[in-house]
Amino acid sequence: MEKPTEIMVKQTRLSLAQGDITRQNTDAIVNAANSSLMGDSGVDGAIHRAGGPAILEECKQIVARQGRLPTGRAVITTGGNLKAKYVIHTVGPVWHGGGQGEPELLASAYRESLKLASQRNLTSVSFPSISTGAYGYPVADAARVALKTVLTFLQNETTSLKEVVFVLYDARTYETYRVALEELAK
Ligand code: ADP
């Protein structure tokens, strides 16, 4: 992993790293899931492959209990065989051009994940770049929403979190988040 870019927000370190989120040892990693919670392609598939069947088992129980997970909401399961103890599954919006509430739904996915982590008293959590793969959200726009939402949460809410990491898979996404963080931190 590259040397992370970071800022402090009250008691919490917010940092960017390039790499594979399935290898993170934060208390939880966030999964960019889809509403079925059945594991799919992209980061979702990678997390289920690396974490093993216990994650899917819990996802199935959640869907049996409460139905499909709506866009912008989040649930938590075991991390199975991952280094992370928990996986927080959230559903980002599919990009339809930006006029269908995409920014608010994306912000909600981050906020609900941070709330869950705080409710469980976790000290660290890692996020992927939600919605910018198969769901087609333009990366620069998504990066601004993601970072602004996390910054606002950390500034305004009481949280157990000491560390929030964005783990960006490819160099272009990492660089886009780096520029967005620089702009926001000005
Ligand atoms: P979505 O359906 O929300 O768009 P994707 O999984 O298709 O989710 O893509 C979201 C982001 O996750 C993309 O930037 C993709 O490159 C990235 N990604 C894929 N695999 C991993 C991984 N193992 N670790 C971190 N990020 C990943």
Side-chain angles (χ1 to χ4, degrees):
M1 268 190 207
E2 274 182 29
K3 188 181 183 308
T5 307
E6 59 181 64
I7 59 166
M8 286 300 296
V9 189
K10 298 204 308 197
Q11 310 299 316
T12 311
R13 194 165 68 117
L14 169 59
S15 63
L16 310 180
Q18 195 189 330
D20 179 350
I21 200 167
T22 65
R23 302 168 71 92
Q24 284 293 109
N25 61 4
T26 44
D27 291 342
I29 63 172
V30 175
N31 181 16
N34 63 45
S35 290
S36 75
L37 295 182
M38 285 303 117
D40 197 7
S41 50
V43 71
D44 194 7
I47 288 171
H48 280 280
R49 274 195 302 280
I55 300 175
L56 189 59
E57 208 35 63
E58 239 185 290
C59 284
K60 284 181 180 163
Q61 287 168 15
I62 289 167
V63 173
R65 212 164 47 231
Q66 64 188 57
R68 293 163 66 85
L69 185 64
T71 305
R73 301 280 297 277
V75 294
I76 189 164
T77 68
T78 175
N81 303 326
L82 295 168
K83 286 183 194 156
K85 208 158 175 229
Y86 302 99
V87 176
I88 294 172
H89 306 261
T90 190
V91 184
V94 176
W95 180 256
H96 291 294
Q100 300 196 28
E102 291 95 330
E104 185 41 49
L105 288 165
L106 185 61
S108 174
Y110 282 100
R111 222 165 24 234
E112 293 298 309
S113 300
L114 291 165
K115 276 192 209 163
L116 259 183
S118 300
Q119 280 162 11
R120 294 296 181 105
N121 243 353
L122 306 186
T123 58
S124 55
V125 64
S126 299
F127 283 98
S129 177
I130 298 167
S131 283
T132 66
Y135 281 5
Y137 207 121
V139 180
D141 296 326
R144 278 194 291 272
V145 171
L147 292 166
K148 183 91 206 309
T149 303
V150 173
L151 273 174
T152 303
F153 182 92
L154 295 177
Q155 279 160 354
N156 296 325
E157 307 295 326
T158 305
T159 179
S160 52
L161 289 167
K162 299 284 176 239
E163 190 171 10
V164 178
V165 189
F166 278 88
V167 182
L168 293 330
Y169 202 46
D170 58 280
R172 190 178 71 92
T173 302
Y174 174 82
E175 184 55 21
T176 306
Y177 272 71
R178 195 188 61 71
V179 170
L181 183 59
E182 243 175 48
E183 284 297 316
L184 276 173
K186 265 183 189 165

